[in-house]
Each structure stands twice: as structure tokens, then as C-alpha cells.
Amino acid sequence: MNKNSSNIMALAPNTSNKRETVCIFGTGDFGRALGHKMIHSGYPVVYGSRSPQISNLIPKDAEVLGHAEAAQKAAIIIIAIQRQHYNFLIPLAEVLRGKVLVDISNNLKLNQYPESNAEHLAQLLPGSKVVKAFNTVSAWALQSGTLDASRQVFVCGDDVEAKQMVMNIVRALGLTPLDKGSLLAAQEIENYPLQLFPMWKFPMFLSLGLTAFFFFYCLALDVIYTYIYEKNNFSFFIAITIPNRVCPVMALILLALVYLPGIFAAIIQLYRGTKYRRFPDWLDKWMLCRKQLGLIALAFASLHVVFTLVTPMRAFVSWRTSKGIIAQALNNKTEPLNNTNAWLSDSYLALGILGYFLFVLLGITSLPSVSNNVNWREFRFVQSKLGYLALILCTAHTLVYGGKWFLSPSAYKWYLPNIYILSLIVPCAVLVVKFVLIFPCVDKPLTQIRQGWERNPKYSE
Ligand code: NAP
């Protein structure tokens, strides 16, 4: 068949229900897995291989031919071959002219080559239309059908029609294409499978570091100090008491750290008198991982709730309660209800419950399935206004809990403050500065700056 006519024919939109033939170069793990999936979805598949004989592993309905012959049978050719072998495609340039070449390759290291594999392929074969796709899906997931975690397929390419054709195949395979734009995006798409929770790294390390610090801090004050000076062995505190002190402290500090970068950003913008200068890198990175910080904070808050709910079941607590009752019986005296204490404990619980409720609401609205269904204003209302309210309630919860003994000298073992006092530093600082920022004399210029006003405009009209 005439090469050019076959190209034009295959690129024309398919008006019948019959699927167009797809060619796959390479009969390796990925080529075979994708071929199986395509045949199940109704695509005739032809393989281009160095050894065009059918093996047991190749889907039985597929044809296996030499590369040039196979390429002539389809308008779309999936290159299921490692980048280092791409040079073998150069002699096939004429056969591949006008065809859509799908680059599915990955690298072993981030930014392994100066240009992406897809751009390299496009440079080798300038007459073809290169589209990047499928690299984020694994051969195993395709074959086993366990695509729940990775249904999304990033697609990019310079030719809109070619990209559409590939996205149609992606959809037909039951996957979700996500258009990432031109071929320039290929580098980012190729780096994607090599990244391990990139946005979670800083929040995770920070949380681990702070958790370890507060755990050992409590261990020193609540277990070691008590053992040395009071001869009490409270080592079992390690199981529930200490985690139930560390978790709320972590939840509160991390929630405050979600709002702290916004405060820094406002101060920087006020100081510079413009929003058109970039924030320092550390602040940019911090702002980008606020959602992750918030979700980790929510996890700590949830653990605190569970630890608190099991409190009545603890042997230590029932021993302490019965000790109090026996002491009253022995003294033949019933302690009257302390109204102030009752108020404090009920208010502390109520503040905690309300704070946790808002915390959960913030967590739910940060889920993409929910945030995609609210507009920007609604999202900001929940994340900013209700977020600050959650921070106020949680800070008040801690203040009411520890307020009465924060100033007592017995709370300062080894002259060190209790961790509840430490936990209040960042949230109180955030709330105080935020309070100052909402004063009209500060809020007005800040709003103007955020709307584009500049104190010393660089380009005057
Ligand atoms: P593979 O099992 O090593 O297979 C690659 C195929 O390339 C071979 O079976 C061979 O097919 C062909 N080939 C090897 N050397 C060649 C050469 N010198 N010249 C021409 N063809 C050659 O690799 P794979 O796991 O299928 O991966 C293929 C591509 O898909 C890679 O770029 C990889 O990054 C990407 N990918 C893989 C996965 C995965 O889960 N495996 C996931 C996403 C993306 P013939 O013998 O038929 O010629």
C-alpha cells in the first residue's frame, strides 16, 4: 500500500464503531500488557518486533511483524522500547512520517537527560507527531486490572489532533486522560513516576522530627523526673498518656503552621508594597504543602480523640478514681461539686469537640472530589475563615485545659515548661498577628496590594 495514503486514511476520524488498528513497537512487558488491554477493548493490535515470530506470551489475537511492515498498518504507533534504543527508529523515518508516535518511556533517575525522552524522539523523527502518554501506568496494573490507584494518564503533545487520538484510546481502555499541554510537559510527566509523595516530604519529616522531640520531652518530664524525684514508676505512660499529650500538641502546632506562611506572605507584601515580586523559595514551598500539613494535623487530632475516648478503660484511671473515692470515704467527707472546675472541664470539652468538627470539615473540603465541586470563594471561606475559627477553638481548648496550672511552679519540672505551654507559642503568635492584620489600617493597603496596587511602581503608565 502507498505509505502516504495509508497515513491519511488512518488519521481520518473513525465514523464506524470499528476501532482502528494500533501498532506497538516492542514485545516486552509493557508492550504485551498494553496489547492485551487494547485487544480486550476492541482494538486490532499489530506488533513491530526484531523477532517477528509469535510467542506464547504475546496476545493470541495480535499480529507480529517487522517494524516497517507493522508501522504501515496503523496510524498510531506505541513505542514500548527503552529510550537508549530509539536510534533504531531513524532508518524508519520515512515509514513513520505523519504517524502518531506514543512515547511511554520512563527513566531511572529524575531529569536523567537534558531533554525528555519524548522530545528526544521528536528530534530523531521530526516528520512524526509525538505524544507522551501511559508512562504513569505500570505493566502489572494493566495486566492485573488493578488500576484503581492509577487510572489517570497524563498526555501531552504539540499536535492537538494526535493528542486527541491518543486520549480517545486512553478513554476506550477505561482510563482517564489528563491533558498536560505541549510536549514541553513531557519532562515533568517522566519525572512523575520517580517521585515518592513529593508534596508530603517536608510535612512528614517535620512531623516526625517534632513528634520525636515532644515524645522524649514528655518522657523526661513525666516518666524519668517522676521516677527520680517521686520514686514512682510511670513507664506505662509511654503507651497512652504520652501519645495523648503529643498528639494534640502536634495537631495544634501543625494547624498553626498551615496559617503561618500566609501571615509571612502578608507581612512581606506589606513591607515590599507590591505583590509582583516572588516570595522566597522556602515560603513558596511551605505554601504549597499547607494541605498536607493540615491533613497530618487532622490525623493527630483524630488520634487524640481516640486516645481520649479510651481513657475510662485504663487501669491507672480507675485506680486513681477509686483512690479518690476511698479517701473521701475514709475521711467521711463528700467533696462538694466545684462549679468552676465543672465549667472549665465542660468548656474545654465543648471547645475541643467544636474545633475537631471544623478540623474534619477542613479535611473533607481539601479532598479533590469535594473541592472540585465548590467555587473559589466557597473554598476560601472554608479553608481560611473556618480554618482560623478551628485554630481559635483548638487554641482555646488547650488554654482552658491547662490555663489554671500553667502558672503553677509544679508545672515546671527541671525548670522546663509543660508541652502544652510550648504548643501554644506558634498558634498564639499566628492569631495575634492575624488579629493585627485585620485592622482596617493594615487590611486596606494589603487588599490594595493584592489587587495589583504598588507603592513604588516599576513601570509607570
Ligand atoms: P522490556 O521488557 O525490556 O521490553 C522492551 C522491548 O524493547 C523488548 O522486549 C524488545 O522488543 C525491544 N527492544 C529491546 N532492545 C531493543 C533494541 N536494541 N532495538 C529495538 N528494540 C529493542 O521493557 P518494558 O518494561 O516493556 O518497557 C518498555 C518501555 O515502557 C520503557 O521505555 C519503559 O520505561 C516504559 N514503561 C514500562 C512500564 C512497566 O511497567 N514495565 C511502565 C511504564 C512505562 P522486541 O524483542 O519485540 O524487539
Side-chain angles (χ1 to χ4, degrees):
M1 199 194 290
N2 175 315
K3 279 178 223 157
N4 290 338
S5 70
S6 86
N7 294 352
I8 294 160
M9 213 172 62
L11 275 169
N14 184 10
T15 45
S16 71
N17 279 337
K18 196 173 174 299
R19 306 248 196 233
E20 291 156 7
T21 301
V22 175
C23 171
I24 301 177
F25 275 7
T27 55
D29 294 339
F30 197 80
R32 291 196 311 269
L34 193 60
H36 269 290
K37 186 90 184 152
M38 289 200 158
I39 288 172
H40 288 163
S41 308
Y43 284 96
V45 171
V46 53
Y47 281 100
S49 172
R50 292 167 304 169
S51 45
Q53 61 269 48
I54 291 280
S55 91
N56 281 346
L57 294 170
I58 293 172
K60 75 174 170 24
D61 294 322
E63 216 180 333
V64 187
L65 303 168
H67 292 112
E69 262 182 294
Q72 282 175 19
K73 296 214 167 200
I76 298 186
I77 297 150
I78 294 168
I79 314 290
I81 291 167
Q82 315 280 353
R83 169 188 168 131
Q84 61 268 31
H85 305 311
Y86 280 2
N87 280 347
F88 91 95
L89 293 165
I90 297 172
L92 299 171
E94 262 321 297
V95 188
L96 300 176
R97 181 171 297 280
K99 307 259 182 191
V100 178
L101 303 187
V102 187
D103 181 291
I104 56 153
S105 62
N106 280 319
N107 292 322
L108 296 175
K109 282 192 279 178
L110 286 172
N111 302 317
Q112 190 171 349
Y113 300 98
E115 77 287 273
S116 66
N117 299 347
E119 287 167 302
H120 174 60
L121 184 63
Q123 281 161 14
L124 289 179
L125 302 162
S128 307
K129 301 163 183 182
V130 176
V131 175
K132 181 89 206 173
F134 290 115
N135 69 308
T136 49
V137 185
S138 78
W140 179 83
L142 275 175
Q143 211 148 13
S144 62
T146 49
L147 281 160
D148 296 339
S150 51
R151 225 161 245 288
Q152 230 170 31
V153 173
F154 298 125
V155 183
C156 75
D158 292 336
D159 187 292
V160 177
E161 196 191 345
K163 203 160 53 173
Q164 260 324 315
M165 289 168 75
V166 176
M167 299 218 288
N168 288 344
I169 295 184
V170 172
R171 275 188 214 100
L173 300 186
L175 305 168
T176 314
L178 193 80
D179 189 346
K180 297 288 276 184
S182 78
L183 212 56
L184 280 176
Q187 185 98 339
E188 188 194 325
I189 299 180
E190 284 168 16
N191 282 338
Y192 186 81
L194 295 169
Q195 291 172 345
L196 188 67
F197 301 122
M199 303 309 282
W200 287 88
K201 254 187 206 152
F202 169 68
M204 282 291 197
F205 285 132
L206 180 76
S207 312
L208 282 176
L210 283 176
T211 307
F213 169 75
F214 285 125
F215 181 85
F216 289 112
Y217 194 87
C218 287
L219 189 73
L221 297 194
D222 298 333
V223 178
I224 300 174
Y225 182 95
T226 325
Y227 186 75
I228 295 174
Y229 293 101
E230 295 164 18
K231 298 285 172 261
N232 280 327
N233 180 1
F234 285 158
S235 52
F236 60 89
F237 273 14
I238 289 171
I240 290 191
T241 305
I242 294 182
N244 201 22
R245 281 190 191 158
V246 174
C247 286
V249 164
M250 287 299 300
L252 186 59
I253 293 180
L254 292 179
L255 183 62
L257 290 181
V258 171
Y259 293 97
L260 188 56
I263 299 275
F264 282 140
I267 295 172
I268 290 175
Q269 285 178 333
L270 276 171
Y271 174 73
R272 290 176 173 169
T274 177
K275 69 165 186 175
Y276 296 115
R277 270 172 61 196
R278 277 200 53 176
F279 290 128
D281 269 2
W282 58 267
L283 188 56
D284 260 346
K285 285 187 187 141
W286 189 352
M287 298 241 237
L288 285 175
C289 63
R290 282 182 293 181
K291 172 176 158 179
Q292 287 72 10
L293 280 170
L295 288 175
I296 298 177
L298 176 58
F300 277 113
S302 306
L303 279 175
H304 172 48
V305 170
V306 176
F307 279 129
T308 306
L309 289 177
V310 299
T311 301
M313 291 180 215
R314 299 179 59 204
F316 174 67
V317 174
S318 27
W319 169 81
R320 211 175 44 185
T321 314
S322 39
K323 197 176 137 202
I325 296 168
I326 292 166
Q328 288 187 47
L330 288 177
N331 293 337
N332 203 12
K333 190 174 143 214
T334 310
E335 291 288 342
L337 174 69
N338 183 328
N339 234 288
T340 317
N341 275 353
W343 258 109
L344 280 176
S345 97
D346 280 10
S347 324
Y348 142 74
L349 289 172
L351 287 166
I353 292 167
L354 289 174
Y356 183 67
F357 172 76
L358 288 182
F359 222 140
V360 172
L361 197 70
L362 291 178
I364 293 173
T365 44
S366 74
L367 297 174
S369 52
V370 179
S371 58
N372 288 347
N373 285 308
V374 291
N375 66 29
W376 176 236
R377 193 146 180 231
E378 291 161 347
F379 183 77
R380 280 212 33 146
F381 173 77
V382 176
Q383 293 297 328
S384 178
K385 303 273 186 310
L386 295 188
Y388 266 107
L389 186 57
L391 185 61
I392 292 171
L393 289 171
C394 294
T395 309
H397 168 71
T398 313
L399 270 170
V400 175
Y401 172 74
K404 65 176 179 181
W405 42 267
F406 276 169
L407 298 175
S408 126
S410 65
Y412 295 82
K413 296 170 184 167
W414 278 324
Y415 303 105
L416 292 171
N418 192 290
I419 60 162
Y420 292 110
I421 302 178
L422 295 183
S423 76
L424 283 165
I425 297 172
V426 187
C428 287
V430 169
L431 291 175
V432 169
V433 183
K434 180 70 187 171
F435 183 67
V436 174
L437 287 175
I438 55 175
F439 269 89
C441 56
V442 184
D443 183 52
K444 212 171 145 204
L446 186 61
T447 310
Q448 281 177 331
I449 288 169
R450 287 182 174 167
Q451 284 168 350
W453 175 83
E454 287 187 281
R455 198 180 303 131
N456 303 308
K458 203 172 165 191
Y459 307 100
S460 43
E461 284 163 33

